[in-house]
Amino acid sequence: MALASRAWRFLSLARGCGLRPFRGSEVIGNPGIFKRGLLFSALSYLGFETYQVISQAAVVHCTAKVEEILEQADYLYESGETEKLYQLLTQYKESKDAELLWRLARASRDRAQLSRTSEEEKKLLVYEALEYAKRALEKDDSSSAAHKWYAICISDVGDYEGIKVKIANAYVIKEHFEKAIELNPKDATSIHLMGIWCYTFAEMPWYQRRIAKMLFATPPSSTYEEALGYFHRAEQVDPNFYSKNLLLLGKTYLKLNNKKLAILWLMKAKDYPAHTEEDKQIQTEAAQLLTSL
């Protein structure tokens, strides 16, 4: 808008100075008009050059601002400042930057996961997160994080829309997790989430399998061995990156009746330093499973 305004003022000034469009017949035999035409052309050229400089400066400034916001956001995320992170990023919810939007999806989901968040607010945040993730993916289909958070958010929404919708979305979720891994093979979280997808369908109860058969000619399925492969692969990429991956390694070995390795990984989950509420919950679950063993 500011550039358009400058351009309009420039044209108004030109008219005010007597510069107007002229006919070819006026130029012939009238050197004054010709010189004035050259002057106007020069001014137009200078105006265009100025416009280019201003445009480039605006892009640089905008990029620098986004990078600054992302740095602040990543610092708050690593510090576990969920509320502050959400408040920071929602100021830019109309942004068209994919990096900012997927972080906003993550922040909305993290806020929904807080124990003090009411059920009504949690539902609103879950749908809000999906909208931000969807917009991030639309802006940058080559973003591994956008694919990952879109899949996560679709899965979350399924909790509110019933088992049929959740199963129906299964292939979409898997597709986006696989794409996220393809785009960034070193992202342990995406690999871990693919493991959860496999674990979920490996332990799917019979009545859900029946629903799946009604929805798909070939319903989604997996095995504990496949899930175990992804959990181990995630650990190889980034050892001890996530307490839940340790817990699920232990639980998967339990499913495969390997008590010795189950205890090994459950001990690691129990002893994992608790930085978040989820870590504390995982410590408790791991301790309970070890007690039962």
Side-chain angles (χ1 to χ4, degrees), residues 69-278:
I69 296 165
L70 296 180
E71 283 181 13
Q72 292 176 33
D74 291 343
Y75 174 78
L76 290 172
Y77 179 74
E78 292 298 329
S79 303
E81 296 284 358
T82 303
E83 287 286 0
K84 290 180 181 179
L85 175 59
Y86 180 78
Q87 295 303 325
L88 168 70
L89 293 177
T90 48
Q91 297 178 65
Y92 309 99
K93 61 184 179 181
E94 300 304 324
S95 172
K96 296 181 180 179
D97 188 278
E99 289 293 307
L100 201 152
L101 287 168
W102 73 251
R103 283 173 171 81
L104 185 49
R106 180 181 66 184
S108 299
R109 184 181 186 271
D110 285 350
R111 189 162 182 255
Q113 300 294 317
L114 294 176
S115 58
R116 60 179 174 272
T117 304
S118 68
E119 284 301 317
E120 183 180 353
E121 187 180 10
K122 180 178 179 179
K123 183 177 180 179
L124 290 173
L125 286 165
V126 164
Y127 279 90
E128 182 182 293
L130 177 60
E131 182 59 30
Y132 293 137
K134 182 180 178 182
R135 283 170 54 198
L137 199 56
E138 288 171 352
K139 296 301 176 185
D140 187 2
D141 186 58
S142 65
S143 168
S144 170
H147 281 281
K148 174 172 66 179
W149 286 99
Y150 182 64
I152 291 170
C153 293
I154 289 177
S155 179
D156 287 346
V157 165
D159 293 336
Y160 293 97
E161 299 192 350
I163 190 64
K164 284 186 177 181
V165 173
K166 198 168 182 70
I167 294 173
N169 286 336
Y171 280 123
V172 177
I173 293 167
K174 183 183 182 184
E175 176 188 339
H176 285 284
F177 280 148
E178 288 176 334
K179 187 65 177 178
I181 295 169
E182 177 189 327
L183 290 167
N184 184 6
K186 295 299 183 181
D187 180 19
T189 306
S190 294
I191 300 168
H192 162 81
L193 291 167
M194 194 61 237
I196 290 182
W197 190 95
C198 295
Y199 186 94
T200 301
F201 282 97
E203 70 167 359
M204 180 181 282
W206 67 268
Y207 66 90
Q208 291 185 9
R209 292 184 188 279
R210 189 173 181 179
I211 294 171
K213 286 180 180 178
M214 292 169 62
L215 295 172
F216 301 102
T218 306
S221 63
S222 189
T223 64
Y224 291 118
E225 287 83 0
E226 193 173 4
L228 190 68
Y230 280 110
F231 294 142
H232 271 300
R233 181 178 165 189
E235 283 299 312
Q236 289 168 1
V237 168
D238 191 1
N240 295 314
F241 74 102
Y242 188 24
S243 59
K244 191 170 184 178
N245 199 63
L246 302 174
L247 176 70
L248 284 168
L249 274 163
K251 291 176 74 171
T252 307
Y253 274 118
L254 276 179
K255 295 288 188 181
L256 294 171
N257 298 313
N258 190 328
K259 188 175 178 180
K260 183 178 179 180
L261 287 176
I263 291 172
L264 171 68
W265 290 102
L266 290 173
M267 285 294 293
K268 288 186 178 185
K270 183 179 75 69
D271 296 335
Y272 190 90
H275 299 295
T276 65
E277 290 186 30
E278 185 184 32

